[in-house]
Amino acid sequence: MSIEEATVSDLIEMDKNYLDRIHLRRRIMKKHTDTVLAAEDSVKSAVDEFYCWLLGTFLPTRFPRMFVLQHTDNKEGFLYNLVTDERLSLSPAEKPLESLERMGGLVEDDFLFLLPSDDGDGYALKGFVTCFPNGFNTFKKLNLKLRDIHKPVPQYKEKLEKSMDRYFARLPTGKFVRRANWAISTTDALFTPSGNHLYEGEEIPQVEIDISSTRVRCERQMLHRLPQTRALLFSFKTLTYTLPEIKDEGLGKVLAEAIEGLKEGNAPEFHFYKRAAVWRESVKNFLTS
Ligand code: HEM
């Protein structure tokens, strides 16, 4: 599963893109509400639990120069955001969808909440805010079990399904794990609910590659269990790099080798899934020139 242990402090990272990204996220949530936000009634207590902890404890403790707690005379609590000069109530909204929207416009990370599935067999997606989906429409994954969410992922069934189901069932509270992935995106858009993957039976499209808008797109993914509701929270922050940035860092050769490696290894189908046939030549030529 290529996961490693992390700590609670790793849950959210801040960088210089914060303000631009949260404004972009708010625009995406307005324009594409049905694709990026959803909540079943059953997820309310998990969303509320995380909301209270994120605003009331995590953010003001972890990033005290960005977020401070405020209380009015009648004891109502707020999180004051020093970057945006805004206040958010420490109490979650009546509807979980609204709490998700508030959190989606507060931090750059996307959040997916999983609860034991209705038939008791594995975990299912019950609520989310995902402004930056890399090639999937999260709404189409709502209520699906982990294994059905990953149906298009090569070798998932053969190589990952069993260990993932076991791992998700056993993950204790207090443990934080992380995983990173990488992809090449031929667009600089962050809201990409389609087009970044190829699925079985699909034809390889003929696309003119523009290197200036091509990005190395990575997700810094985290998984942990909420202590009270015991829901699982999968979250990820999307990071993008231009190809000149990769070259300037001296990583051009490493990336070119990783691209070649997609065809080899134990799941060569990833070459197709990641659309490598579309961008491989142009990207490799640029990286090695
Ligand atoms: C930590 C355990 C997990 C592992 C090891 C894992 C593994 C993977 C892999 C290998 C892929 C293919 C793309 C890539 O290289 O990343 C993928 C895609 C994906 N994963 Fe996961 N995943 C995990 C957890 C989750 C969870 C908890 C969710 C949602 C609740 C999720 C949702 C997705 C989605 C939506 C895709 C795209 C599928 C598509 O193309 O339609 N993953 N995952």
Side-chain angles (χ1 to χ4, degrees):
M1 296 195 298
S2 309
I3 50 179
E4 58 173 31
E5 265 196 55
T7 68
V8 60
S9 308
D10 298 317
L11 184 65
I12 288 175
E13 261 185 3
M14 293 290 174
D15 61 38
K16 62 180 177 5
N17 297 322
Y18 173 74
L19 198 56
D20 288 349
R21 289 274 172 98
I22 62 162
H23 285 308
L24 172 62
R25 294 173 66 82
R26 292 175 192 187
R27 289 197 297 276
I28 291 169
M29 286 189 289
K30 276 220 159 60
K31 197 164 170 202
H32 303 283
T33 317
D34 295 346
T35 314
V36 304
L37 278 162
E40 292 293 344
D41 292 344
S42 58
V43 84
K44 178 172 163 53
S45 46
V47 170
D48 287 358
E49 177 185 359
F50 184 64
Y51 180 97
C52 291
W53 179 77
L54 180 72
L55 276 76
T57 304
F58 182 82
L59 290 176
T61 314
R62 179 77 179 85
F63 303 105
R65 285 184 299 174
M66 289 176 75
F67 304 102
V68 289
L69 293 176
Q70 290 181 340
H71 291 275
T72 57
D73 290 345
N74 62 3
K75 300 272 186 291
E76 212 188 329
F78 292 93
L79 181 72
Y80 177 61
N81 184 335
L82 287 107
V83 184
T84 59
D85 190 23
E86 291 168 325
R87 286 192 329 174
L88 265 183
S89 172
L90 295 181
S91 306
E94 189 54 39
K95 294 208 157 71
L97 199 75
E98 196 186 322
S99 301
L100 285 168
E101 187 178 1
R102 286 190 206 162
M103 292 191 283
L106 177 64
V107 292
E108 248 192 80
D109 296 67
D110 285 318
F111 297 118
L112 298 99
F113 289 79
L114 297 113
L115 297 178
S117 67
D118 301 339
D119 64 6
D121 171 26
Y123 277 80
L125 180 62
K126 292 291 175 179
F128 61 81
V129 51
T130 49
C131 297
F132 301 154
N134 183 25
F136 55 88
N137 179 337
T138 323
F139 186 72
K140 292 191 179 156
K141 310 277 188 189
L142 187 65
N143 282 313
L144 295 190
K145 292 178 185 177
L146 208 51
R147 68 188 74 132
D148 298 318
I149 289 173
H150 287 98
K151 218 166 223 157
V153 175
Q155 299 285 323
Y156 182 87
K157 192 167 178 44
E158 297 82 346
K159 302 231 165 78
L160 282 173
E161 183 177 305
K162 272 210 181 75
S163 44
M164 291 261 295
D165 281 348
R166 214 176 307 129
Y167 195 83
F168 276 60
R170 290 182 189 165
L171 186 73
T173 58
K175 185 164 177 175
F176 288 73
V177 292
R178 75 175 150 207
R179 167 179 187 263
N181 72 359
W182 69 275
I184 301 286
S185 179
T186 50
T187 161
D188 56 2
L190 283 161
F191 171 69
T192 41
S194 63
N196 280 9
H197 290 133
L198 274 176
Y199 297 134
E200 220 179 296
E202 285 183 356
E203 297 234 335
I204 297 167
Q206 297 299 315
V207 180
E208 191 78 35
I209 303 300
D210 176 0
I211 290 294
S212 67
S213 56
T214 298
R215 297 286 180 271
V216 176
R217 180 170 177 152
C218 302
E219 283 169 6
R220 183 183 175 278
Q221 305 174 338
M222 299 282 303
L223 178 72
H224 76 282
R225 189 184 295 283
L226 305 184
Q228 280 157 34
T229 52
R230 301 191 53 78
L232 287 168
L233 178 56
F234 180 65
S235 57
F236 64 89
K237 172 166 170 157
T238 301
L239 302 152
T240 60
Y241 307 91
T242 64
L243 295 183
E245 277 171 341
I246 297 286
K247 257 173 108 165
D248 290 350
E249 287 284 319
L251 294 170
K253 200 164 159 254
V254 176
L255 180 59
E257 280 168 12
I259 292 168
E260 275 311 283
L262 283 176
K263 270 199 164 159
E264 298 144 15
N266 54 7
E269 302 89 340
F270 270 101
H271 187 266
F272 179 77
Y273 176 73
K274 288 188 185 240
R275 295 170 86 240
V278 173
W279 46 259
R280 183 168 156 257
E281 281 313 308
S282 316
V283 171
K284 264 186 57 189
N285 287 344
F286 179 82
L287 291 173
T288 51
S289 64

